[in-house]
Amino acid sequence: MAKINILDLSKEELSELIRPSFRAKQIYQWIYQKYVTSFDAMKNLPSELKKTLEESYILNPLKIIRLEQSADGSKKYLFALLDGNTVESVLLPMKKEQVDEDGKLVHHTKYTICISSQVGCKIGCAFCLTGKDGFKRNLTAGEITSQVLMIKRDNNIAENRRVNIVYMGMGEPLDNLENVSKAVKIFSDIDGLSISTRRQTISTSGLSSQIEKLGNMDLGILLAISLHAVDDVLRQKLMPINKAYNIESIINAVKAFPIDTRKRVMFEYLVMKGINDDQQSAKKLVKLLHGIKSKVNLIYFNPHHGSEFQRPNEKDVVAFQQYLVDHGVLCTIRQSKGLDISAACGQLKDKEQLNGKC
Ligand code: SAH
Ligand code: SF4
């Protein structure tokens, strides 16, 4: 019988399989809080149970095969799955640790971990490397959560240290809603990684019907929309999914989405030189977001080999931001972390393949 990836199981599912059921809680704590890498290391389990676990379950579904560290502290991981496919994740430290005169820690580093949800992607956006290779398969819930577990373990990030998760790596999370929503719940288990759903952001290219489904699940997660264009003609060229789900349908789905009253929906806007960096687009964006509690995140296009688009000029991005702010729209410019380490999704994998070819 094929072994089961134990990370694919919620604590409730595990407690159905492993009796007595309190063992599930212990196993969860060993895996997600004490970071053990073998069943044998789960000291408070009877040896008979450890043997059964060893025979029937997989504990390490991912292997780090490449790691790049950026000067700004971000780290990009390339993981191999058990079937040989590869996916990427990025660790982004958000704040430097600071010590006061007495050597006491006053500011802890905050971490954001960017994770993948699929091997490849079906959506095929013109600017994105992940889409170029087509789609291979969905990740299971355990392959999704394992990325965070591996990164916490590899960086000795204390079990109780706050971590935010963004589903902005490879793949379209809402095209794998079943496994992604399961991962959201496993992440938030208090005997596991204990990452509240309010610290998890799902980013989507705008599959309106799936946004509606996700909303009905009422998980309490944050939503990010990769908008990137304000009219359907341009958006269709950049993101073929816009043929099936146009801008209006996305805006309507966002308006119906349940959001914590203290939070906002994030609209990501990838700025490409001469394509969507003009003041006219900024004006249209303000109109489009009218009545939505939103926050716009401007992202510099990150060029990759063979890409037809270019990184925008800083002055145009700043002017774009200024227009939004002047018209009452909250807008930040994403600091381009890890530019020296193939930061955008798909780029590390691409490099690995290129190296392979050389
Ligand atoms: N499929 C989802 C989530 C993964 S992509 C989505 O599209 O939202 C995460 C983000 O990376 C998206 O906003 C996407 O537009 C952006 N991205 C893709 N290629 C990029 C590039 N070359 N430079 C900068 N951002 C890029
Ligand atoms: Fe897929 Fe997102 Fe890349 Fe588009 S931007 S191809 S949806 S991963």
Side-chain angles (χ1 to χ4, degrees):
M1 212 176 71
K3 286 189 179 185
I4 298 172
N5 175 5
I6 200 160
L7 299 164
D8 281 336
L9 303 175
S10 67
K11 197 173 63 203
E12 291 67 35
E13 286 171 334
L14 191 59
S15 64
E16 293 293 319
L17 294 167
I18 310 281
R19 295 289 177 183
S21 61
F22 70 87
R23 294 287 181 210
K25 179 175 169 145
Q26 292 176 327
I27 295 169
Y28 247 59
Q29 290 171 342
W30 281 115
I31 298 176
Y32 297 105
Q33 300 181 351
K34 296 178 194 146
Y35 305 155
V36 297
T37 52
S38 74
F39 292 112
D40 199 43
M42 301 182 176
K43 292 200 180 67
N44 58 358
L45 303 188
S47 43
E48 196 52 35
L49 175 57
K50 287 196 265 194
K51 212 172 131 234
T52 313
L53 290 171
E54 191 62 55
E55 282 163 6
S56 317
Y57 295 94
I58 291 161
L59 181 57
N60 302 300
L62 302 187
K63 207 166 84 190
I64 300 170
I65 55 167
R66 190 166 173 150
L67 171 60
E68 285 192 3
Q69 177 142 21
S70 165
D72 65 18
S74 50
K75 281 183 174 182
K76 186 154 194 168
Y77 287 83
L78 185 65
F79 291 111
L81 307 167
L82 291 175
D83 62 4
N85 278 309
T86 55
V87 289
E88 297 175 6
S89 324
V90 187
L91 171 69
L92 303 151
M94 304 313 273
K95 207 191 267 172
K96 276 257 172 297
E97 286 189 358
Q98 287 173 6
V99 243
D100 67 11
E101 292 118 41
D102 304 327
K104 221 174 88 200
L105 198 61
V106 285
H107 272 303
H108 284 290
T109 307
K110 281 186 186 160
Y111 296 102
T112 294
I113 300 180
C114 174
I115 54 174
S116 294
S117 56
Q118 296 180 316
V119 182
C121 183
K122 286 180 206 158
I123 312 293
C125 301
F127 48 79
C128 176
L129 257 184
T130 300
K132 293 262 181 291
D133 265 356
F135 172 75
K136 297 251 171 58
R137 71 168 173 88
N138 283 330
L139 294 189
T140 67
E143 287 169 336
I144 295 170
T145 53
S146 181
Q147 297 167 52
V148 174
L149 178 60
M150 293 283 282
I151 288 179
K152 282 189 81 176
R153 193 196 280 161
D154 192 50
N155 292 278
N156 296 316
I157 298 176
E159 156 253 320
N160 58 355
R161 183 61 63 82
R162 283 199 159 199
V163 166
N164 295 318
I165 291 180
V166 292
Y167 295 78
M168 292 185 187
M170 303 169 77
E172 167 51 55
L174 296 193
D175 187 35
N176 183 16
L177 185 55
E178 197 183 324
N179 294 337
V180 166
S181 57
K182 187 170 186 189
V184 167
K185 290 184 199 152
I186 294 176
F187 273 134
S188 67
D189 193 301
I190 49 158
D191 292 312
L193 289 162
S194 199
I195 301 168
S196 140
T197 57
R198 281 168 178 73
R199 278 189 275 133
Q200 300 185 46
T201 303
I202 293 186
S203 174
T204 177
S205 56
L207 281 66
S208 311
S209 59
Q210 295 295 88
I211 295 174
E212 200 183 320
K213 267 195 204 159
L214 178 68
N216 291 338
M217 291 178 178
D218 211 3
L219 297 174
I221 54 99
L222 303 174
L223 184 66
I225 304 289
S226 292
L227 194 65
H228 309 331
V230 286
D231 69 79
D232 283 316
V233 177
L234 175 61
R235 196 165 191 275
Q236 211 151 297
K237 276 191 201 144
L238 299 173
M239 307 173 77
I241 189 75
N242 200 74
K243 280 186 206 121
Y245 301 109
N246 65 13
I247 296 175
E248 191 188 0
S249 79
I250 298 172
I251 296 293
N252 289 338
V254 168
K255 283 183 174 160
F257 194 84
I259 307 157
D260 187 322
T261 48
R262 291 159 298 174
K263 305 283 184 185
R264 294 167 183 273
V265 173
M266 196 213 286
F267 285 85
E268 294 161 276
Y269 192 92
L270 185 59
V271 194
M272 290 164 268
K273 191 177 181 176
I275 304 282
N276 60 356
D277 55 357
D278 54 299
Q279 290 283 294
Q280 204 53 31
S281 297
K283 198 171 170 182
K284 277 194 190 163
L285 186 54
V286 170
K287 267 203 189 136
L288 211 56
L289 300 182
H290 183 74
I292 300 176
K293 228 177 139 201
S294 63
K295 180 172 88 182
V296 173
N297 198 4
L298 300 178
I299 312 165
Y300 281 87
F301 173 69
N302 200 7
H304 42 84
H305 90 273
S307 75
E308 54 181 303
F309 305 106
Q310 288 163 14
R311 196 177 154 82
N313 293 325
E314 192 179 347
K315 75 166 189 7
D316 293 327
V317 178
V318 171
F320 198 105
Q321 178 192 33
Q322 198 58 51
Y323 186 92
L324 296 191
V325 172
D326 288 347
H327 292 80
V329 176
L330 209 70
C331 176
T332 50
I333 298 175
R334 186 184 294 170
Q335 292 308 319
S336 289
K337 289 220 166 237
L339 261 185
D340 50 334
I341 59 157
S342 11
C345 44
Q347 295 192 4
L348 185 61
K349 181 169 175 161
D350 188 57
K351 214 175 200 178
E352 184 73 13
Q353 283 167 352
L354 276 179
N355 287 348
K357 278 178 205 147
C358 290

